Amino acid sequence: MQYKRLEEYGAIGDGNTVALVGRDGSIDWCPFPHVESPSVFAAVLDADRGGHFAVRPTQSFESVQRYRDRTNVLETTFRTAGGSATVTDFMPVPEAVGSDDRAIGPDDWPPAIYRKLECEDGPLEVEIEFDPRFAYARDVPEIELTTDGVVATGDDERAVLSSGLPFEPASDGHGASATATLEDGETRWLVLGYGEEIPLEPSRHRETLAETVDYWRSWVHDCDETDCPVGGQWHDFAVRSSLVLKLLIHRETGAVCAAPTTSLPEDVGGVRNWDYRFNWIRDSAFTVRVLAELGHLEEARSYFELCLDHCSRHEPAEMPPVYGLHGGSDLEERVLDHLEGYRGSAPVRVGNAARNQHQLDIYGELVLAIYESVRYGEPMRSGDWPVVRDLVDYVCEGWDEPDAGIWEMRTDHEGFVYSKVMCWTALDRGIRLAEAANGVEAPIERWRAARDDVREAILERGFSEGANSFVRSFGDGDTLDAANLLIPVVGFLPADDDRVQGTIDATLDRLATDDGLVRRYEGEDGLPGEDSPFFVCSFWLVTALALAGRTEEARDRFESVLEYASPLGLLAEAVDPESGEQRGNYPQAYSHIGLLNSALSLADSTGSSDVGSSAAASPAPLGRNESLEDVASSGEIVRGTNEIE
């Protein structure tokens, strides 16, 4: 097998896990039963040893992928000289599918991949290759051929493929394969159950497909361009990004998975390969905002409660920046040296050592997420205020400490300017919450004094007159950091401030490419290899330009960045500016959150949900539509305030 470009993959999932399906019909990545579990298919990390599950014509073919409208149901259509066929891939969402004869509930529904193979123009010969490799390909299972398909049994795992096709042992001795000739209109089903068999029942499978389609369409809503907060020419990108985000929200806990893959490289052949199958706190504020703005209040509420739960589990000084999707924080980083890595990019890592880092920005992002949730109408529980108060108190005392920063530097800690900005944000939003909630105990005057100190330090030590820009860290000369584009977004300075405008212009001059891409920072980061431009930084620049009233520039750069999206509208973490290929884990929640927030900011800057419009209006930063005082006048900021001591 050969490695494919990341843009040649579509993603399917069920709220527990995600699989990547190539345009050639091969499932090359899928962990079971959860996205953070070991893989069953991992050909994307080792084309020969990783394992895959392919369905494709035996003849030379061309193929194209598309999602069924407003769903995460993927269709791959093959065309040969003699015919055509479509494979429809999906994973049933437990809440969406009706119970079968076993009368099981959603939590007991077996993880499964359904593959519907339908011939539109035949006859057409197709081949199926089924080669699972459990435990990140360390466990090659025993294969048993049955009258209904194939059973793969490992040391502690089992996968059952139901198909009704006559499988044989694969020619290379691994897995099983089959061929079949399909006539016009003929349909075959292949159903892979993890842990248990799902009997082949075509009529029931058709119902399951219809239920899955209905689920996704009901969730995303049937909004036209006039109803949607993001209308106009980018409506479809916004819909796809929201569906990607939902695909990455864990159904059991509400945690947002940063990406469903591990070790897809930022730099092909290099060592910048990380496991992103976890929940990063810093995604919280922007996730809450975008979910609430798009009307997904249940998901926003669940994530808000998850943030509060994270806060309550740890002393502020010991707050991990990243959690497992089930809430655990044991994310020991290990190397899988038996896998060669995507296109030879080693090491392949599982777990993430960033869990042990000290990152000061997370406190601002947590408090901002709580503030945003309250602003959107979600009251805090009476026991939550002491947790928030402790966070703000910690920032009040520890804001001047060096840290690893938003980019999780694996070098000596520094006084990163963005970290200080988010410390200011924690203090500022903590003060606003305390002022709006009558009767809560808070040392507001001490917080105000600390907020003033942080602000003074940032303006004096974090801004370079020579560069006319905010810089990466205190005492670091004129080195730039794209994270400082968020200064107007969190309200530290207004977007029309000369220092913000200077930071935007310096970013355009020194970190940005002509076609819209933005690198994260200048300077060394302790790792070899090239640092590719990040999608989220590119969207931050769009947002900053929109907030600054530079709408035409923002729109042009937004359009340029979107040209790098996959044919399905999916975004990885980064992009190679030379080849145009996407890089890093895929698809990436933060990239799609950045896209949605940029589109919302463009909508604000034009005064219309049609972000293709040229109408003028006054843009505003995060927290723009309704003040906390407005919320307080219509309901409680803290539920059960009188119980707080």
Side-chain angles (χ1 to χ4, degrees):
M1 287 181 61
Q2 294 182 336
Y3 291 100
K4 293 179 273 291
R5 291 169 62 122
L6 298 184
E7 305 94 282
E8 296 180 24
Y9 285 105
I12 60 173
D14 62 358
N16 289 319
T17 192
V18 173
L20 295 186
V21 185
R23 199 169 64 190
D24 62 353
S26 181
I27 297 176
D28 290 345
W29 174 256
C30 184
F32 269 132
H34 299 286
V35 73
E36 70 271 40
S37 299
S39 62
V40 173
F41 305 113
V44 73
L45 294 177
D46 193 310
D48 294 326
R49 292 186 291 263
H52 67 286
F53 177 17
V55 179
R56 58 192 169 221
T58 56
Q59 295 179 320
S60 177
F61 61 83
E62 294 181 350
S63 63
V64 63
Q65 285 184 319
R66 72 178 186 93
Y67 282 108
R68 286 206 184 179
D69 187 40
R70 306 189 323 279
T71 76
N72 283 316
V73 174
L74 183 66
E75 296 179 339
T76 306
T77 298
F78 300 98
R79 291 184 176 85
T80 71
S84 64
T86 296
V87 177
T88 300
D89 286 306
F90 67 99
M91 300 178 73
V93 180
E95 289 83 356
V97 292
S99 60
D100 60 9
D101 293 340
R102 291 169 293 177
I104 59 175
D107 292 335
D108 299 317
W109 190 271
I113 297 174
Y114 285 58
R115 314 196 75 179
K116 177 189 177 186
L117 174 58
E118 186 173 16
C119 180
E120 291 97 13
D121 182 14
L124 184 70
E125 187 179 59
V126 297
E127 61 182 354
I128 298 96
E129 296 177 356
F130 179 60
D131 185 15
R133 306 287 180 94
F134 297 131
Y136 300 116
R138 288 175 297 197
D139 181 3
V140 180
E142 293 185 3
I143 297 296
E144 177 188 355
L145 306 180
T146 70
T147 55
D148 296 322
V150 184
V151 178
T153 305
D155 292 339
D156 300 303
E157 298 179 85
R158 183 171 180 263
V160 183
L161 175 61
S162 300
S163 74
L165 293 173
F167 275 84
E168 298 178 350
S171 58
D172 63 0
H174 299 298
S177 63
T179 59
T181 300
L182 305 182
E183 303 295 335
D184 287 358
E186 185 176 357
T187 297
R188 292 279 191 167
W189 286 88
L190 298 102
V191 182
L192 175 62
Y194 177 79
E196 63 180 276
E197 178 183 6
I198 298 176
L200 200 62
E201 301 177 82
S203 62
R204 180 69 189 102
H205 302 336
R206 287 193 293 271
E207 292 176 7
T208 301
L209 173 57
E211 290 163 345
T212 303
V213 167
D214 288 346
Y215 170 83
W216 291 117
R217 289 178 176 168
S218 175
W219 182 83
V220 82
H221 305 304
D222 189 15
C223 64
D224 60 28
E225 295 180 7
T226 59
D227 297 284
C228 186
V230 181
Q233 66 198 85
W234 300 309
H235 174 259
D236 290 345
F237 276 104
V239 169
R240 178 51 49 199
S241 288
S242 64
L243 282 165
V244 170
L245 191 55
K246 179 61 173 174
L247 201 63
L248 297 176
I249 296 175
H250 199 277
R251 56 175 289 270
E252 293 180 8
T253 64
V256 178
C257 177
T261 57
T262 180
S263 299
L264 295 181
E266 298 170 21
D267 176 36
V268 169
V271 300
R272 298 170 183 264
N273 319 317
W274 317 108
D275 192 348
Y276 276 12
R277 296 173 297 158
F278 311 114
N279 174 222
W280 265 260
I281 285 178
R282 69 170 43 91
D283 298 359
S284 56
F286 295 100
T287 302
V288 165
R289 180 209 181 190
V290 79
L291 287 170
E293 287 282 358
L294 295 176
H296 302 304
L297 299 180
E298 181 179 348
E299 287 79 8
R301 181 179 302 112
S302 294
Y303 200 50
F304 161 70
E305 292 174 352
L306 182 73
C307 289
L308 287 169
D309 183 59
H310 285 339
C311 295
S312 66
R313 291 187 181 193
H314 303 275
E315 292 297 322
E318 299 173 355
M319 184 77 65
V322 57
Y323 288 84
L325 301 183
H326 291 84
S329 55
D330 181 14
L331 309 180
E332 179 186 358
E333 188 172 292
R334 295 173 287 117
V335 171
L336 303 180
D337 54 14
H338 65 287
L339 297 176
E340 74 167 6
Y342 176 77
R343 292 168 61 177
S345 303
V348 173
R349 295 181 174 94
V350 294
N352 201 301
R355 179 258 178 266
N356 300 314
Q357 288 186 343
H358 182 50
Q359 299 176 18
L360 279 172
D361 64 290
I362 67 171
Y363 300 100
E365 278 127 5
L366 269 172
V367 178
L368 183 59
I370 293 165
Y371 175 88
E372 286 293 298
S373 299
V374 171
R375 195 177 61 79
Y376 283 111
E378 183 65 26
M380 287 190 292
R381 298 161 297 194
S382 59
D384 292 329
W385 175 250
V387 176
V388 176
R389 184 186 61 213
D390 289 348
L391 282 177
V392 181
D393 267 341
Y394 175 75
V395 172
C396 188
E397 298 298 327
W399 67 267
D400 201 26
E401 298 172 359
D403 74 322
I406 183 174
W407 304 123
E408 301 179 343
M409 298 295 186
R410 300 197 176 197
T411 55
D412 291 340
H413 287 183
E414 300 180 37
F416 290 104
V417 171
Y418 176 72
S419 294
K420 308 310 179 191
V421 169
M422 292 314 295
C423 287
W424 176 91
T425 302
L427 291 159
D428 180 74
R429 298 317 195 270
I431 291 166
R432 294 193 198 187
L433 285 166
E435 289 175 337
N438 295 325
V440 299
E441 178 184 322
I444 292 181
E445 291 306 317
R446 185 161 60 88
W447 290 356
R448 286 177 179 152
R451 182 179 62 179
D452 291 344
D453 289 344
V454 179
R455 179 182 177 84
E456 181 180 358
I458 293 168
L459 295 179
E460 289 186 0
R461 302 167 61 192
F463 184 82
S464 165
E465 296 288 348
N468 191 31
S469 174
F470 286 97
V471 293
R472 184 166 118 170
S473 61
F474 290 173
D476 193 28
D478 292 346
T479 305
L480 299 188
D481 185 343
N484 291 327
L485 293 167
L486 294 172
I487 283 174
V489 177
V490 300
F492 180 78
L493 286 175
D496 59 0
D497 185 281
D498 288 344
R499 290 161 293 191
V500 173
Q501 295 282 349
T503 301
I504 293 173
D505 290 335
T507 301
L508 284 165
D509 183 48
R510 292 164 53 181
L511 291 178
T513 67
D514 292 337
D515 49 1
L517 302 175
V518 177
R519 291 185 293 116
R520 291 184 291 173
Y521 45 74
E522 296 176 318
E524 297 297 323
D525 59 9
L527 292 171
E530 294 294 324
D531 181 52
S532 298
F534 269 39
F535 279 115
V536 72
C537 298
S538 308
F539 290 127
W540 288 345
L541 179 56
V542 170
T543 298
L545 287 166
L547 291 175
R550 297 162 64 170
T551 308
E552 291 298 328
E553 288 180 78
R555 184 185 297 112
D556 289 346
R557 298 193 76 84
F558 190 56
E559 289 179 342
S560 294
V561 177
L562 293 183
E563 291 180 3
Y564 288 97
S566 81
L568 293 169
L570 305 185
L571 300 172
E573 180 178 47
V575 60
D576 184 328
E578 299 298 326
S579 68
E581 291 186 43
Q582 295 197 29
R583 296 283 184 257
N585 287 303
Y586 175 91
Q588 175 96 340
Y590 214 14
S591 298
H592 286 279
I593 292 167
L595 185 158
L596 288 165
N597 275 302
S598 287
L600 290 167
S601 295
L602 277 167
D604 281 345
S605 70
T606 61
S608 168
S609 65
D610 183 351
V611 291
S613 167
S614 59
S618 298
L622 206 65
R624 71 206 185 291
N625 289 333
E626 187 176 26
S627 71
L628 209 59
E629 288 73 19
D630 293 332
V631 177
S633 66
S634 60
E636 291 180 309
I637 295 296
V638 181
R639 184 184 292 125
T641 301
N642 293 334
E643 298 175 13
I644 296 178
E645 298 179 356

